[in-house]
Amino acid sequence: MIWNKEQECMPREELDKLQLSRLKDTVSRVYDSVPAYKSKMDEAGVNPRDINNLADLKYLPFLTKQDFRDNYPFGLLAVPMRDVVRIQSSSGTTGKPTVAGYTQHDIENWAELMARALTGAGATADSIIQITWGYGLFTGGLGGHYGAEKIGAAVLPASGGNTRRQVMLMHDYGTTLLGCTPSYALVMYEEFLKSGLDRSEFKFKSGLFGAEPWSENMRKEIESKWEIDAYDVYGMTELIGPGVASECACKQGLHLAEDHFLAEIIDPDSGAVLPYGERGELVITSLTKQALPLVRYRTRDLTQINRQPCACGRTHARIQKILGRSDDMLIIRGVNVFPSMVESILLQIPGIEPQYQLVVDRVNNLDRLEVQVEVSEQVFSDEVRRLEELEARISRELDSGLGIAVRVRLVEPRTIERSEGKAKRIIDNRKL
Ligand code: AMP
Ligand code: ZN
């Protein structure tokens, strides 16, 4: 099923034309109404009149997460606050989350994109859709919710957590489609096994999963355990939230909503645009966003673009499942964690050496983060009780700073491996 055939199956030529006119409009708007864009473009010696075809995009400067930090919280908004109807922000960053604003029109477009994604995953007006992404500042819950309502499905706004109740809702209310993180789908499966309920009493048919990387193997596992079809949905707070790209029944890459977003792939080191089909960092320009238009935003997500026609009939290009990043951001239980955040928290605590390592494991399908921290010789020779206190304090500070539960292990001086080049801060043992 296709939600919006006219847009999703638009012939390439028409799509190119639409993209160009929307691109010109976006570039003029940011130049005129966002000082940060104007100064970046002036510095690069380009202005909106230089954009005469899609390939001219490459002359424009990139926008990065640093620009979000520099303009925190609302400096990148292109409309006055009176036109903003919603603010969402990204998970997990200390002090300065990434903030997104939406006009009414942006919210409607976002709902449209999630309606497409959910339809791609098999949803119809007859579906009962359980949204188990978190509701709140995180974009998952409300994004999924509005999309499901737009389709006319019945939405269960379950939000995250309380797995036992989630399984009960699925069973009692006859959930047909589940939207959550892929890892949580497996956690729910374990709870289902524990519940002793009979699978034949569930109406569960498919799932739309995203907000964190997951491999083909993980898909197979979810599909065979739950006996459902599992589809991938991609997005990020800055771009709009989930729904920027999503899978169709072919499950051969995620159709990127090309009427709303223009994608490029660049070499993350040189910034050069790579030809179609090559793997690199995804750079996104928004084409319809009003409150927070993005021009050449570096997502840091690694993928490749496939423009081959898809058997489903959609013409929009597909991006390959996203499994890696060009920076060191970790996604732990859906929360974005940068080693630098851990570092800045640790360094505020006396008695700690600036040597630490993040060890990530997946235990019973849930991510677990352990932070190993070296303590000074003096601290290490202290009484056990003092060490335990220190461990508890670090653990508290990291929990509240990162927004996720962290295990802390103090290690003896000079036990964390030193590297000659970049320090190896992350040991990721998750088999995605
Ligand atoms: P947030 O803004 O907190 O929603 O985080 C967005 C980031 O989550 C993206 O930049 C990706 O790195 C990751 N992400 C979201 N959806 C997916 C997905 N379907 N597959 C892989 N990574 C994803
Ligand atoms: Zn398709």
Side-chain angles (χ1 to χ4, degrees):
M1 286 276 285
I2 297 178
W3 172 251
N4 185 337
K5 248 199 179 123
E6 197 187 324
Q7 299 296 316
E8 295 179 75
C9 304
M10 188 181 280
R12 186 83 241 168
E13 242 173 64
E14 241 176 87
L15 199 51
D16 284 350
K17 267 194 222 146
L18 182 71
Q19 285 190 323
L20 180 59
S21 80
R22 290 181 168 178
L23 172 65
K24 285 180 174 174
D25 172 62
T26 296
V27 175
S28 306
R29 274 191 293 123
V30 298
Y31 190 80
D32 293 340
S33 43
V34 186
Y37 274 107
K38 183 172 188 316
S39 58
K40 276 169 96 83
M41 283 166 66
D42 286 346
E43 214 169 288
V46 284
N47 76 56
R49 284 186 306 280
D50 296 325
I51 306 301
N52 297 306
N53 57 59
L54 291 174
D56 292 338
L57 187 59
K58 62 174 178 290
Y59 302 121
L60 295 167
F62 292 118
L63 188 79
T64 65
K65 228 182 179 99
Q66 189 58 45
D67 291 302
F68 273 84
R69 291 190 195 110
D70 294 345
N71 293 283
Y72 178 83
F74 301 132
L76 291 176
L77 294 187
V79 299
M81 195 49 85
R82 63 164 305 146
D83 294 338
V84 171
V85 300
R86 177 93 65 79
I87 292 163
Q88 309 261 183
S89 64
S90 77
S91 47
T93 26
T94 34
K96 294 191 173 193
T98 313
V99 184
Y102 304 73
T103 63
Q104 191 60 51
H105 187 252
D106 293 332
I107 294 285
E108 278 156 24
N109 279 337
W110 186 17
E112 156 78 20
L113 297 182
M114 278 308 283
R116 291 181 191 179
L118 287 162
T119 305
T124 66
D126 296 318
S127 302
I128 297 180
I129 301 181
Q130 187 164 335
I131 303 290
T132 298
W133 286 298
Y135 281 62
L137 286 170
F138 173 58
T139 53
L142 287 165
H145 185 102
Y146 277 56
E149 277 191 354
K150 192 169 178 87
I151 291 176
V155 195
L156 300 179
S159 195
N162 201 341
T163 315
R164 211 157 79 187
R165 193 188 57 157
Q166 299 279 0
V167 173
M168 181 196 82
L169 290 178
M170 285 178 83
H171 173 268
D172 295 359
Y173 298 177
T175 299
T176 58
L177 191 153
L178 177 68
C180 62
T181 56
S183 52
Y184 197 64
L186 287 174
V187 173
M188 285 174 73
Y189 181 73
E190 276 168 7
E191 194 58 46
F192 153 70
L193 288 183
K194 269 197 251 160
S195 74
L197 292 165
D198 190 342
R199 177 65 179 89
S200 67
E201 290 168 7
F202 284 72
K203 304 220 167 69
F204 189 23
K205 283 193 205 61
S206 63
L208 185 64
F209 303 122
E212 65 184 9
W214 54 305
S215 60
E216 276 308 325
N217 283 338
M218 179 109 166
R219 187 203 313 265
K220 281 193 200 113
E221 196 174 335
I222 295 173
E223 291 192 328
S224 66
K225 284 188 161 157
W226 267 123
E227 298 171 56
I228 58 162
D229 278 303
Y231 299 94
D232 196 355
V233 61
Y234 168 77
M236 67 200 295
T237 312
E238 298 91 308
L239 298 180
I240 203 153
V244 173
S246 54
E247 281 181 328
C248 61
C250 304
K251 298 179 190 162
Q252 297 284 325
L254 290 76
H255 287 285
L256 185 106
E258 285 197 276
D259 50 339
H260 295 276
F261 297 99
L262 187 53
E264 299 168 275
I265 296 289
I266 64 163
D267 176 329
D269 298 321
S270 71
V273 178
L274 299 176
Y276 281 113
E278 277 189 41
R279 186 178 156 80
E281 181 183 327
L282 180 67
V283 171
I284 292 280
T285 298
S286 70
L287 298 173
T288 53
K289 285 179 70 184
Q290 294 179 331
L292 182 67
L294 297 178
V295 173
R296 301 199 89 198
Y297 184 60
R298 289 190 61 163
T299 65
R300 295 289 176 180
D301 290 319
L302 299 176
T303 184
Q304 66 193 58
I305 298 178
N306 174 6
R307 276 194 157 191
Q308 299 298 316
C310 184
C312 73
R314 290 173 181 82
T315 51
H316 293 184
R318 282 167 288 167
I319 57 170
Q320 197 184 49
K321 241 175 165 342
I322 288 173
L323 291 176
R325 290 187 52 94
S326 67
D327 61 11
D328 55 1
M329 185 177 92
L330 285 166
I331 302 183
I332 295 167
R333 301 191 185 190
V335 174
N336 304 346
V337 175
F338 286 94
S340 56
M341 288 156 46
V342 172
E343 185 170 296
S344 71
I345 296 170
L346 289 179
L347 294 182
Q348 287 164 17
I349 304 171
I352 285 176
E353 298 292 306
Q355 293 295 344
Y356 62 92
Q357 221 158 27
L358 278 61
V359 184
V360 194
D361 286 286
R362 193 160 269 179
V363 183
N364 295 331
N365 299 312
L366 267 188
D367 299 333
R368 190 184 67 193
L369 172 63
E370 178 177 279
V371 178
Q372 300 178 349
V373 190
E374 263 187 39
V375 289
S376 62
E377 204 82 64
Q378 193 201 342
V379 170
F380 205 77
S381 52
D382 259 349
E383 310 160 39
V384 173
R385 185 179 56 84
R386 297 268 309 271
L387 281 174
E388 282 172 356
E389 273 167 19
L390 180 62
E391 205 169 70
R393 171 165 179 209
I394 300 172
S395 177
R396 262 195 324 271
E397 309 238 341
L398 286 173
D399 285 6
S400 73
L402 301 175
I404 50 167
V406 178
R407 291 175 153 219
V408 173
R409 194 150 70 85
L410 299 182
V411 298
E412 284 180 58
R414 285 177 307 281
T415 43
I416 288 178
E417 196 191 329
R418 306 298 197 257
S419 137
E420 302 201 334
K422 287 184 197 220
K424 188 168 164 41
R425 296 293 187 205
I426 299 172
I427 300 173
D428 197 340
N429 296 322
R430 292 176 292 187
K431 303 263 177 315
L432 285 177

